[in-house]
Amino acid sequence: MSLDAAGEVVADVKVKIANLKKVFNPKSVVVVGASSEPAKVGYQVLNNIVKNGFKGKIYPVNKKSTEILGVPCFPSVTACPTDIDFAVIAVPAPMVEGVLKECAAKNVKGAVIITSGFSEIGKKKEEQALKDLADKHDIALLGPNTFGFVYTPSNLNASFGPQNVTAGKIAFISQSGALGISLMGWTMMEKIGLASVVSLGNKADIGEKELIEYFNDDPNVSVILIYMEGIKDGRQFMTTKIKKPVVILKSGTSTRGAQAAASHTGSLSGSDKIYTAAFNQLGMLRGRTFTQAFASACALSMPEPKGDDTLIITNGGGIGVSATDECDNAGLKLFEDHVWLEEKFRPTMPEFGSTKNPIDVTGGGGREGYQKAVRVALAEDRIHSVIVLYCETAVLDPVEVARAVVDEYNAVKRNKPLVVTMVGGERSRQAIQILNENQIPAMTEVREAVAGLKSLYQWKEICARPKEKVKTPEAPAKALEVIERVRKEGRTFLLEHESREVFEACGVPMPKWGFATSADEAVKIAEKTQMYPVAMKITSVDIIHKSDVGGVILNIKNADEMRAKFDQMMETVKKNAPNAKLLGVNLCQMVDGLQCIVGMNKDPQFGPAVMFGLGGIFVEVLKDVSFRIVPFGEGEAKRLIGEIKAKKLLDGYRGQGAHKESIIKTLLAVQKIAEHVKEVDINPLITNKDGSFAVDARIII
Ligand code: ACO
């Protein structure tokens, strides 16, 4: 337990994470709500714990029975004879707090509350009371409203899900109970091995961050897969330390889906672009469907590829072409030295087989053909990863192919990534199970095998990123001074020249600019700074849409034109907006180049987020923008600008391209005022070979 500055109890997250050990590896478990009625949840949980072979002490708590499922019962938690590490609570909601207090008195350090009927139905106060108790006593608390969890290394199935989960290295964390339980069943059918399945429930206490950080140091877990609908606290989530691959399957990506997620778990789902930013920034991988997410999780248990060259081995042309397409779409490189391939692979196939990548051992290739081709692919250092495809035929039993692949792979001690797709009927399904049982990722779809392999390459790139220690940069005094002045005037927005003053202080690259209250002053500024050609814009706190009232004139070339246009603008604007108080004009040098946008606003869960993309009219039409959560450093800024679909334009496609250094400078500079403003909009930020220039500047406080 920790105390905050006001002396209030706050969660000690480090202690909670450490206490998760008591949850997953307890020496003793109490099941409160254990019942002898098989239809009850409390019976099913106890049954799972007993039948799954848990080796620690089990204490069912039941006031009426002396024994359930052959295990002696106790009338209360405090009546149990020894210390207790971990409690499963499955009593009706009004009893839960009392039971948790008893657990605290017994020094229990881990608990899962299965009971529903808390924040998900609006009972936030009741749930907070459980959280407060857990914080006060350093209890790592899962739930409420969960189906429990399974941890195969300790043979502990503290859930009312299926028994006999296949053991493996994936920790699967699910925010949805029903989906979690059903996917447990699905993984068992596919023989995909799990180290753990955790149902998060309402996440009153333990959430994704704590579990990821616990599993980071758990040698029984090599990959973490999370089904997520929404994050409770985005800022806290951004502090998650990632040491192992994390694959996220996030739903609620559409507006309607987000609404459905909000009513399902009560969590805010938020904008998918912001979640994408958060996942990218943290170095988490994304699965689009549950089969694809599991394909990635399985592939991520494979060895890291030593290079980029992938080889496809197939018995069918069509499936080989599909795999080639998928590799191309995913950006996976196929090995291309056809002379070398002919030399190495010709002996593995009949004359009519193909040694071009995909290696086609043909429909008549047989077990031996596969075995030989896989052996060569695994033995040769020039091949860095292998995709094996098989279309079921009457000539060759897929189970034979699977066994051949397993034998070859084990013989070389799993030396490089290898994924398999088998397409066919019953026997192909069996073959897939054999492969998965032997920790070789096998799927029914080419797309998934390729996505799995792609995840391995993505993880390799993530691991190679230089570590950046970033914190939100401080705002310069000059910027704060301007913001404070505007605030004191009771305004919520800065005028353009005020925004420019703030941006300039932060280091946002500017074109030549000035603010003038008369035609003479405008001419003086333009001549002194050699600003022509110039854009002139009206300045008034009463005018938002300047061009609508004739308040924007572009391309002013000299002093005479400046004087004439100044007078013309004043006259037109006075006519169109007679009540507006005109303060003067903004002058800004005309700049040519590619129009980009840099924005910043506050996300309800993640706080300030910076946006970058194509600007001007493209923003609305193409919406080709990407985000990063503040704070982020140079490496992330680089990745952000490399993430937009139009990145080729930035690289200089049939044109002069972008000045990336100054875009990065802008993305870093705007973060300085993240804590002090509500919204920032630089649209356009025009970029050309000489630099980038904030041509329009808007700040809302
Ligand atoms: N101390 C000890 N035992 C107690 C206490 C107590 N304070 N209070 C009740 N009990 C006993 C009861 O006597 C009963 O035992 P018995 O069968 O021998 O009489 C047992 O605990 C269970 O209590 P019941 O009142 O029978 O409650 P029931 O089992 O019907 O429901 C439950 C309890 C399952 C926790 C229910 O309230 C609930 O929340 N169900 C939803 C669970 C759920 O769906 N969670 C989300 C999963 S995610 C998904 O969607 C799949």
Side-chain angles (χ1 to χ4, degrees):
M1 171 182 96
S2 303
L3 298 177
D4 66 10
E8 297 284 320
V9 172
V10 287
D12 190 329
V13 178
K14 273 195 186 147
V15 173
K16 294 263 173 130
I17 293 170
N19 282 344
L20 277 170
K21 194 162 183 140
K22 305 264 182 188
V23 173
F24 294 110
N25 294 285
K27 291 199 172 67
S28 48
V29 175
V30 64
V31 183
V32 194
S35 168
S36 44
E37 286 181 41
K40 290 195 179 177
V41 167
Y43 173 90
Q44 291 301 335
V45 175
L46 181 64
N47 190 39
N48 274 351
I49 295 175
V50 172
K51 299 265 169 69
N52 214 64
F54 173 65
K55 295 284 183 297
K57 294 189 181 80
I58 307 169
Y59 301 123
V61 167
N62 186 290
K63 290 193 194 322
K64 294 183 278 185
S65 311
T66 52
E67 168 264 309
I68 303 173
L69 287 158
V71 188
C73 287
F74 298 87
S76 67
V77 177
T78 39
C80 295
T82 66
D83 279 351
I84 297 165
D85 285 338
F86 164 62
V88 185
I89 301 175
V91 296
M95 280 49 149
V96 171
E97 190 182 340
V99 169
L100 192 61
K101 274 185 186 152
E102 267 192 77
C103 291
K106 194 78 181 160
N107 209 22
V108 168
K109 290 297 172 213
V112 57
I113 298 174
I114 300 228
T115 314
S116 304
F118 290 91
S119 66
E120 83 281 7
I121 56 158
K123 296 206 167 174
K124 293 195 173 152
K125 241 177 41 209
E126 289 78 353
E127 188 165 305
Q128 187 58 43
L130 305 179
K131 163 78 174 147
D132 291 344
L133 258 175
D135 287 349
K136 191 168 166 200
H137 298 281
D138 289 329
I139 298 172
L141 181 74
L142 275 166
N145 189 30
T146 112
F147 68 75
F149 72 89
V150 178
Y151 186 69
T152 55
S154 60
N155 293 325
L156 180 57
N157 185 337
S159 82
F160 61 92
Q163 290 177 12
N164 303 322
V165 170
T166 312
K169 290 266 194 178
I170 300 170
F172 170 42
I173 299 165
S174 180
Q175 193 173 355
S176 159
L179 198 64
I181 285 196
S182 52
L183 288 179
M184 264 164 95
W186 178 80
T187 54
M188 285 158 70
M189 185 181 75
E190 297 288 316
K191 302 270 187 234
I192 293 174
L194 304 177
S196 187
V197 185
V198 184
S199 162
L200 283 173
N202 294 357
K203 300 192 271 188
D205 182 31
I206 297 296
E208 294 85 352
K209 174 190 158 79
E210 292 81 9
L211 286 168
I212 291 171
E213 291 189 0
Y214 177 77
F215 288 133
N216 270 343
D217 296 322
D218 182 345
N220 296 311
V221 170
S222 60
V223 185
I224 300 159
L225 193 164
I226 304 179
Y227 168 78
M228 178 188 286
E229 288 177 4
I231 291 283
K232 272 193 160 177
D233 181 347
R235 300 302 290 172
Q236 192 231 26
F237 183 67
M238 291 309 292
T239 65
T240 308
K241 289 192 179 57
I242 306 291
K243 290 193 198 163
K244 290 178 181 169
V246 177
V247 182
I248 305 271
L249 176 62
K250 165 123 186 10
S251 63
T253 53
S254 64
T255 312
R256 286 203 172 178
Q259 284 162 1
S263 61
H264 180 202
T265 57
S267 58
L268 279 175
S269 188
S271 146
D272 191 54
K273 286 212 180 240
I274 297 290
Y275 273 99
T276 303
F279 300 148
N280 286 347
Q281 208 163 324
L282 284 168
M284 292 176 170
L285 304 158
R286 192 102 186 244
R288 294 285 159 191
T289 62
F290 76 83
T291 45
Q292 198 215 303
F294 272 98
S296 292
C298 292
L300 284 157
S301 327
M302 303 242 101
E304 184 181 278
K306 293 199 176 81
D308 293 338
D309 283 307
T310 299
L311 188 84
I312 301 171
I313 298 171
T314 182
N315 68 335
I319 194 173
V321 175
S322 304
T324 308
D325 284 345
E326 291 298 337
C327 287
D328 211 43
N329 292 337
L332 291 183
K333 182 174 170 284
L334 293 179
F335 183 82
E336 272 187 336
D337 184 343
H338 295 139
V339 176
W340 185 86
L341 285 173
E342 171 68 17
E343 183 197 319
K344 297 288 174 186
F345 285 91
R346 181 53 62 196
T348 71
M349 62 179 67
E351 218 176 281
F352 45 89
S354 170
T355 61
K356 299 205 171 66
N357 193 3
I359 301 293
D360 189 347
V361 296
T362 78
R367 175 183 168 129
E368 208 190 334
Y370 262 97
Q371 191 138 20
K372 278 188 193 161
V374 170
R375 188 174 298 164
V376 175
L378 292 175
E380 292 296 338
D381 288 344
R382 289 187 73 189
I383 307 294
H384 304 122
S385 52
V386 185
I387 300 173
V388 176
L389 309 173
Y390 179 72
C391 287
E392 191 172 332
T393 65
V395 181
L396 176 58
D397 185 340
V399 168
E400 287 289 298
V401 177
R403 294 219 165 97
V405 172
V406 171
D407 289 349
E408 292 304 317
Y409 200 45
N410 287 340
V412 292
K413 300 195 170 56
R414 306 171 66 82
N415 65 346
K416 61 181 78 168
L418 183 148
V419 293
V420 180
T421 290
M422 296 247 168
V423 182
E426 197 77 358
R427 297 292 285 157
S428 291
R429 167 122 286 171
Q430 270 181 36
I432 285 175
Q433 291 168 339
I434 290 168
L435 288 158
N436 281 333
E437 260 175 329
N438 285 279
Q439 287 82 48
I440 296 175
M443 299 106 208
T444 53
E445 293 269 355
V446 169
R447 176 171 292 186
E448 273 140 23
V450 172
L453 195 54
K454 164 87 178 170
S455 304
L456 259 181
Y457 279 100
Q458 284 175 312
W459 177 243
K460 188 179 174 189
E461 181 274 318
I462 289 166
C463 293
R465 290 177 188 172
K467 295 275 168 284
E468 286 190 307
K469 264 203 167 166
V470 282
K471 57 178 197 168
T472 308
E474 292 211 351
K478 168 78 185 160
L480 291 180
E481 199 183 297
V482 177
I483 292 168
E484 203 40 42
R485 197 173 67 219
V486 173
R487 218 187 285 280
K488 277 194 181 136
E489 279 179 29
R491 271 188 285 137
T492 54
F493 63 93
L494 275 65
L495 293 165
E496 185 171 331
H497 65 283
E498 292 165 338
S499 299
R500 286 191 184 283
E501 282 178 75
V502 171
F503 283 144
E504 208 156 57
C506 291
V508 171
M510 287 284 162
K512 289 174 184 171
W513 71 279
F515 173 68
T517 52
S518 68
D520 279 348
E521 200 183 350
V523 168
K524 220 154 124 192
I525 293 170
E527 283 185 350
K528 191 171 161 208
T529 58
Q530 298 184 324
M531 199 189 280
Y532 295 115
V534 171
M536 184 163 70
K537 286 183 258 177
I538 195 74
T539 302
S540 166
V541 291
D542 307 310
I543 296 170
I544 295 166
H545 300 294
K546 302 179 189 96
S547 31
D548 292 358
V549 295
V552 180
I553 296 176
L554 304 178
N555 222 10
I556 300 169
K557 293 189 201 63
N558 53 46
D560 289 347
E561 217 182 310
M562 180 77 95
R563 284 201 174 82
K565 297 289 184 192
F566 184 95
D567 295 341
Q568 178 195 323
M569 180 180 283
M570 289 299 157
E571 206 173 301
T572 319
V573 174
K574 271 182 198 153
K575 202 156 52 184
N576 290 337
N579 298 324
K581 189 174 170 210
L582 308 186
L583 302 173
V585 291
N586 259 289
L587 305 171
C588 172
Q589 185 171 38
M590 297 288 298
V591 188
D592 274 342
L594 187 64
Q595 297 202 358
C596 299
I597 182 169
V598 172
M600 182 167 68
N601 59 17
K602 285 207 167 118
D603 181 81
Q605 281 124 298
F606 289 92
V610 170
M611 172 180 79
F612 172 77
L614 277 197
I617 54 164
F618 298 116
V619 185
E620 289 306 315
V621 182
L622 301 178
K623 294 193 172 65
D624 186 10
V625 292
S626 248
F627 290 80
R628 282 297 181 275
I629 315 290
V630 175
F632 60 91
E634 201 177 319
E636 268 319 307
K638 261 188 210 154
R639 281 189 283 278
L640 168 59
I641 65 175
E643 214 170 86
I644 65 165
K645 293 189 198 89
K647 59 174 179 272
K648 268 195 181 164
L649 285 177
L650 301 179
D651 292 337
Y653 184 74
R654 289 195 180 172
Q656 59 181 341
H659 193 272
K660 291 188 185 168
E661 293 78 9
S662 53
I663 296 177
I664 291 167
K665 193 176 168 205
T666 310
L667 296 169
L668 300 179
V670 293
Q671 296 183 55
K672 293 181 186 169
I673 48 167
E675 304 297 339
H676 306 277
V677 302
K678 187 170 169 230
E679 217 174 294
V680 157
D681 196 11
I682 303 175
N683 185 18
L685 175 87
I686 292 186
T687 180
N688 58 38
K689 68 176 176 20
D690 301 320
S692 300
F693 307 92
V695 163
D696 206 352
R698 211 164 55 91
I699 295 174
I700 295 177
I701 54 174

